[in-house]
Amino acid sequence: MHAFDIYGLCAALASGALAVLYGVVWRAQRLRWSLIFGLAFLMLAVLYGFDAQLRPRNGLSQPLSAFISVATAVALTLGMIDYVQVTGRAAWVLRVLSVALGVLLIGLIFSRQITRIVGFGVLSMFLVAQAALALRARWQERGRGHGLVFLALISYPAVIGAAALGLFDMALLRYAAAVPTTMMGMTVLTTGLLRAQQQARDELHRRRDAEEALRRFNEALEQRVLQRTAELHEMVAALESFNRSISHDLRGPLGGIAGVSRLASEALEAGDTATARRLLPSITQQAESSADLVASLLALARVNDSELSPRPVPLNDVVEETLAHLRLADPDAQPLPVHVAPLPTVEADPGLIRQVYVNLIGNALKFSRDAGAPQVDVGAYPEGGGHVMFVRDNGIGFDPASAERLFEPFQQLHATSFDGHGVGLSIVKRVVERHGGRVWARSGPGGGAAFYFWLGPRLAVS
Ligand code: ADP
C-alpha cells in the first residue's frame, strides 16, 4: 500500500466519523450549523475516500477534486457563520462573499488559470475567514474552546506557507490539510454541544425562576384575597354591630318619647294640664339626646368622608380656641383647670384636629369633674421624627384592660354616671389615623387618664 493511501484512508475515516457525529447532533438538536458541518465533512470523507482516483496527476489537480475541496471550504465557512451566530445583514454579506469566491475559484481552477499553490493560497483565505469568525466567538464567549478552533484554522495557512517555501513536499499538502480541518471539526462539535447544554441549563434556570416568581405571586395574591376577605368580614361585622348600637341607642329615647307623649296626651284628654306640662321637659330632653347622638354620628361620618385640607397648624392656637369654645358653652363654670404646655406646629387639617382636642379636653373635664381638685394637662414631646400629643387628667380613670376598646364606637365605661354617646373617641381615632398617626390611652393605678396621639413629621394621609 502506498503511504498516500494510508494518509487518505485515515483522513477519510476521521472526516467520515465527524460527518456521522454532526449528523447525530443535527437529528437530535436541529442546529443548522451541525447540518452544514456534517455535509462539509461528508464531502471531505468522499474526497479522501476516493483519494486514489482523485489525487493530482502529473502535478495537476483533478477538476472534481478541486470542486469538492472548494465546496467543502465554502460549506465550512457557511457553517462557521452560523456557529458563531453572526446574524442579519452581516451574515448574508459573508455568505454571498464565500459562495462567490468559491464559484470564482472553481472557475479559475477549471480554466487552469492558476497554479496549484495559488489555488491552495486562495483556499486558505476561507480558513483565515473562518479563523476570524472563531476569534469573534472567542471574544463573545470566553472559556468555551473557541481559541482551539482558531488555532486549528490558523495552522492551515502556515502549512501552505511552509509548502510554498519548499519546506516540505507539495504532494503532502493535500493530506496535511486534513489535520487542521479535523481538529477544527472536533472542537466545533465539542464546544457547540457544550454551548447547547449551557443554553438548555440557562433556559431551565430561567423557567424555574419564572415558575418560582409566578408561584410567589400567586401565593401573595391568595394571601391578599384572604386578607381582603377577612377585612371585609370584619367590616361587615363592625357595620352590623354599629347598626345594632345605633338602633339600641335610639330606641331608648324614641320609646321614651312615645311613652311620655302618650301619657301627656292622656293627661290632656283628662284635662290634667299640670301633669302634661310636667311631662313635656322629659320629651324635650330625650329628643335632644337623640339629636345629639345623630349629630355625633354625622360628625363621625364626616371625618370619614371629608377631604383633608392639611397645612401647618400651631397646636397651641387650636387648644386656645378649644378652651375659648368650652368657656363660651358654660360661662358660669369655674375657670377651666387646664394647663397647656408649649405645643408643636404640625401638618394637619385644622378643622379636624380641633375636633380631636374638643373631644379629648371635653372628656378630661367631664371625667375629672368629681375629683377634689380637677387638673387637666395638655402637652407634647418629640418621638419617632414626629410628636406625641397628650391630654391627661386626674379624674376617675378607667380599667387599663379596656384601653383599646374605648376607641370603638359606643364603648362607654361609665355610661350611667356621665352623659355622652361613646362616639367622641372613635372620631379622635379616625381623625388621627387619617393623618397617618396613631392613638392610645393609659390609665394609672392611682386614677386619672391620659390620651395620646402621634403625628409624623410629614402628613401620611390615609
Ligand atoms: P363619651 O365620652 O361620649 O361617652 P367617648 O368616645 O368620648 O364617648 O368616650 C368613650 C368612653 O371612654 C367614655 O364613655 C368613658 O368611659 C371613657 N373615657 C373617655 N375619656 C375618659 C377620661 N378622660 N377618663 C376616663 N374615662 C374616659
Side-chain angles (χ1 to χ4, degrees), residues 297-357:
L297 288 172
L298 278 177
L300 181 61
R302 257 201 307 275
V303 176
N304 287 325
D305 298 344
S306 66
E307 275 283 309
L308 285 194
S309 312
R311 57 185 162 87
V313 183
L315 289 182
N316 276 102
D317 294 359
V318 175
V319 172
E320 277 318 316
E321 269 175 48
T322 306
L323 294 178
H325 176 82
L326 288 171
R327 267 183 222 113
L328 270 183
D330 191 1
D332 302 332
Q334 302 284 320
L336 295 178
V338 182
H339 173 256
V340 185
L343 300 172
T345 293
V346 296
E347 175 99 347
D349 183 300
L352 291 181
I353 216 73
R354 170 138 38 81
Q355 188 66 51
V356 168
Y357 275 110

